[in-house]
């Protein structure tokens, strides 16, 4: 399809909006499963990735959250698996590595739906739950396993699974795995796998660390990039509400009530902050729950299910825990705190505005966060619209660090692009 090393981008290759999944080389069982879900036309990343993967090529793809990249690798991997020999006892034929439990569960949910007409076994393993039930399920062999790196290594060390039958490795959200400090686990796992295998790497960006990782893992890969790197989705309306740090909780509650928002994902920089905001909203009569790394897996699953089903109106999450929150028509995302890492802003607001729907992303920004805001605008290449909310106007400081009005005053210092230590985001996630 493509010569190795050539990058395919939306700017250089137009995807026919009338293209069909049936044109991409998928077999009848997968097409019927897609039909059951009402999917007919592939997204750009799906239209480009599926034929390349079916052809056996290694793929390095940069795609925003919400562009359909999960189906972009699960569908062709399942197509290849259905033609091969079933997994032997304790063996794995295809492996998808993800950074968080929630994302792992979400990927498996997609795999189960797409493989509903195939005699393939799929499963998921991650930390935070007992290992013995996972070990029991792995004994019979798994055709496609979704896993987080830490638990996968633990299970291999216990002899519960083997990689000698592995045909395909997928690194999903590879940039996030690097941010969370999984690089050493990934390298240890790679050394246990057959050198002759197909490798797919999906990331939101082609950052230098991602390129370095890919250079040692992928062989003559097809490079896919369906959106300009680090740009935010055009289907998301973005607005900044300047306010004082101490008034953020008040403003959040005001916006939810005034706008009658029924489903809101709120991002907090810290676990403590997420708990505090969720407790406050609940006391005010707005059903809310927090989701973060200190919550048990059961609590995280219940909160996410309640949010999807509508019994929980506001879900307050940290960046790591929010991975895997896949809701087709999530209308509102609120940045209660701006992220320390500018790239995380793109991931956050990518939770809304999916599948052609219009999304609404709100950032509550205090003067103390002005440098973080400038870093986001520098990364995305766009100035975010500022609006003040009556009654919540920020206090005028004697020497504000930066102009929050959206003016062109020069920053007194260049903010660091990344300020999160990988060691602070360990395997316990």
């Amino acid at each position: 399809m493509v010569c190795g090393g050539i990058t395919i981008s939306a700017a250089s290759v137009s995807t026919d909006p009338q293209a069909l999944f049936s044109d991409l080389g998928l077999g009848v069982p997968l097409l019927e499963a897609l039909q059951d879900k009402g999917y007919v036309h592939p997204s750009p990343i799906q239209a480009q990735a599926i034929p390349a993967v079916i052809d056996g090529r290694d793929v390095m793809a940069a795609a925003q959250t919400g562009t359909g990249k999960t189906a972009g690798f699960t569908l062709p991997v399942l197509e290849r698996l259905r033609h091969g020999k079933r997994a032997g006892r304790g063996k794995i034929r295809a492996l998808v590595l993800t950074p968080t439990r929630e994302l792992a569960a979400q990927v498996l949910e997609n795999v189960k739906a797409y493989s509903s007409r195939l005699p393939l076994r799929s499963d998921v393993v991650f930390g935070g739950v007992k290992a013995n039930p996972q070990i029991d399920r792995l004994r019979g062999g798994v055709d496609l396993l979704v896993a987080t790196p830490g638990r996968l290594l633990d299970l291999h060390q216990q002899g519960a699974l083997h990689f000698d039958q592995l045909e395909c490795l997928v690194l999903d959200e590879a940039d996030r795995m690097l941010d969370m400090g999984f690089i050493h686990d990934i390298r240890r796992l790679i050394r246990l796998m057959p050198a002759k295998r197909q490798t797919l790497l999906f990331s939101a960006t082609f950052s230098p660390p991602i390129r370095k990782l890919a250079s040692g893992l992928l062989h003559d890969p097809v490079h896919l990039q369906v959106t300009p790197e680090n740009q935010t989705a055009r289907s998301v309306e973005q607005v900044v509400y300047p306010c004082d740090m101490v008034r953020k909780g008040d403003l959040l509650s005001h916006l939810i009530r005034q706008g009658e928002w029924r489903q809101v994902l709120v991002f907090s920089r810290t676990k403590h902050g997420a708990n505090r905001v969720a407790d406050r909203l609940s006391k005010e009569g707005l059903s809310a729950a927090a989701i973060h790394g200190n919550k048990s897996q059961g609590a995280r699953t219940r909160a996410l299910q309640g949010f999807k089903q509508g019994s929980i109106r506001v879900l307050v999450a940290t960046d790591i825990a929010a991975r895997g929150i896949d809701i087709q028509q999530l209308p509102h995302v609120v940045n209660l705190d701006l992220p320390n890492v500018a790239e995380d802003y793109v991931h956050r607001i990518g939770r809304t505005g999916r599948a052609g729907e219009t999304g609404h992303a709100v950032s509550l920004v205090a003067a103390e966060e002005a440098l973080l805001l400038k870093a986001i605008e520098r990364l995305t290449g766009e100035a975010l619209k500022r609006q003040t909310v009556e009654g919540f106007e920020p206090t005028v400081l004697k020497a504000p660090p930066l102009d929050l009005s959206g003016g062109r005053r020069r920053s007194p210092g260049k903010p660091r692009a990344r300020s999160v230590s990988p060691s602070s985001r360990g395997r316990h996630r």
Side-chain angles (χ1 to χ4, degrees):
M1 178 178 127
V2 182
C3 294
I6 294 179
T7 298
I8 302 177
S9 68
S12 60
V13 176
S14 59
T15 301
D16 183 358
Q18 297 305 311
L20 302 172
F21 278 109
S22 55
D23 300 328
L24 303 181
L26 298 172
V28 172
L30 291 168
L31 293 175
E32 289 178 346
L34 286 166
Q35 188 175 22
D36 289 343
K37 294 180 70 66
Y39 299 152
V40 177
H41 303 289
S43 70
I45 188 63
Q46 292 163 358
Q48 295 170 18
I50 290 173
V53 177
I54 290 177
D55 286 346
R57 298 293 302 275
D58 282 9
V59 170
M60 180 176 177
Q64 289 175 270
T65 298
T67 55
K69 59 186 174 64
T70 301
F73 62 78
T74 55
L75 286 168
V77 168
L78 289 169
E79 176 63 29
R80 287 178 62 83
L81 290 175
R82 80 184 186 95
H83 297 290
K85 185 179 178 181
R86 293 291 304 277
R89 185 174 177 82
K91 309 288 186 179
I92 302 169
R93 296 177 60 204
L95 172 65
V96 180
L97 286 178
T98 72
T100 69
R101 307 165 190 173
E102 283 73 27
L103 182 56
Q106 184 65 48
V107 171
L108 180 69
E109 186 177 318
N110 280 271
V111 170
K112 292 284 191 184
Y114 299 142
S115 62
S116 59
R117 286 173 164 78
L118 294 173
L120 298 175
R121 292 191 60 190
S122 57
D123 210 329
V124 64
V125 294
F126 47 68
V129 296
K130 293 181 178 179
N132 285 340
Q134 296 178 349
I135 292 172
D136 292 340
R137 298 198 308 269
L138 291 172
R139 285 200 179 103
V142 178
D143 295 295
L144 192 155
L145 180 68
V146 188
T148 52
R151 176 52 62 93
L152 187 66
L153 266 176
D154 292 341
L155 293 173
H156 180 269
Q157 289 166 357
Q158 295 180 54
L161 52 87
H162 306 280
F163 299 117
D164 50 289
Q165 199 178 338
L166 187 72
E167 303 168 27
C168 180
L169 168 66
V170 182
L171 297 180
D172 190 20
E173 305 275 15
D175 51 337
R176 176 57 54 191
M177 283 198 276
L178 295 188
D179 286 345
M180 293 173 62
F182 283 129
I183 183 61
H184 298 298
D185 285 349
I186 291 172
R187 294 196 188 283
R188 289 174 63 190
L189 287 165
I190 294 298
R191 288 194 291 268
L192 300 171
M193 297 175 186
K196 187 177 180 181
R197 66 174 188 277
Q198 184 177 25
T199 304
L200 316 176
L201 187 152
F202 283 75
S203 170
T205 66
F206 282 159
S207 63
I210 287 295
R211 293 182 186 277
K212 182 179 179 181
L213 174 65
S215 66
L217 296 182
L218 279 67
H219 173 69
D220 190 27
V222 175
H223 291 75
L224 305 178
Q225 189 166 331
V226 298
T227 51
E229 190 169 346
N230 290 324
Q231 284 197 6
T232 52
R234 297 302 175 189
S235 58
V236 179
E237 177 191 1
Q238 303 170 65
V239 63
V240 167
Y241 291 125
C243 70
D244 293 336
M245 191 74 74
V246 295
R247 298 295 310 280
K248 284 190 175 187
D250 297 331
L251 179 54
L252 174 63
S253 180
H254 171 78
L255 291 171
I256 294 172
R257 293 183 186 280
Q258 184 187 58
E260 297 183 350
W261 297 349
R262 306 310 305 176
Q263 192 178 44
V264 190
L265 176 60
V266 177
F267 283 96
S268 170
R269 190 181 299 123
T270 67
K271 302 168 190 173
H272 176 70
N275 286 337
R276 186 174 63 248
V277 171
D279 290 343
R280 170 183 175 157
L281 293 174
S282 295
K283 290 176 182 177
E284 294 177 357
L286 298 171
S287 55
I291 179 171
H292 53 69
N294 283 357
K295 294 281 187 178
S296 70
Q297 187 56 43
R300 290 161 71 164
T301 300
R302 288 191 298 273
L304 187 54
Q305 284 300 112
F307 186 58
K308 288 182 176 182
Q309 295 168 1
S311 60
I312 292 175
R313 185 171 175 179
V314 185
L315 187 66
V316 190
T318 55
D319 286 297
I320 294 172
R323 288 294 171 135
I325 296 178
D326 186 10
I327 300 171
Q328 288 297 319
Q329 296 180 343
L330 176 63
H332 307 286
V333 168
V334 177
N335 293 302
L336 184 69
D337 307 306
L338 288 184
N340 287 329
V341 179
E343 287 90 339
D344 283 344
Y345 176 82
V346 178
H347 294 308
R348 287 180 177 190
I349 71 168
R351 300 291 111 190
T352 186
R354 293 179 170 223
E357 297 289 334
T358 300
H360 185 215
V362 169
S363 299
L364 312 185
V365 182
E368 296 93 322
E369 298 172 295
L371 288 177
L372 298 176
L373 180 60
K374 286 296 180 184
I376 290 167
E377 292 180 323
R378 184 181 298 114
L379 178 76
T380 61
E382 57 184 315
L384 300 181
K385 179 175 63 177
R386 274 78 160 169
Q387 291 182 0
T388 56
V389 179
E390 186 176 356
F392 295 91
E393 299 85 351
T395 303
V396 178
L397 302 179
K398 291 183 179 180
L402 275 178
D403 183 8
L404 275 178
S405 65
R408 301 188 60 171
R409 181 155 52 162
R410 184 177 178 179
S411 166
K414 183 178 179 181
R416 295 171 59 188
R418 292 185 177 271
S419 57
V420 177
S421 169
S423 63
S424 66
R425 297 183 174 185
R427 280 170 45 185
H428 67 281
R429 303 288 186 185

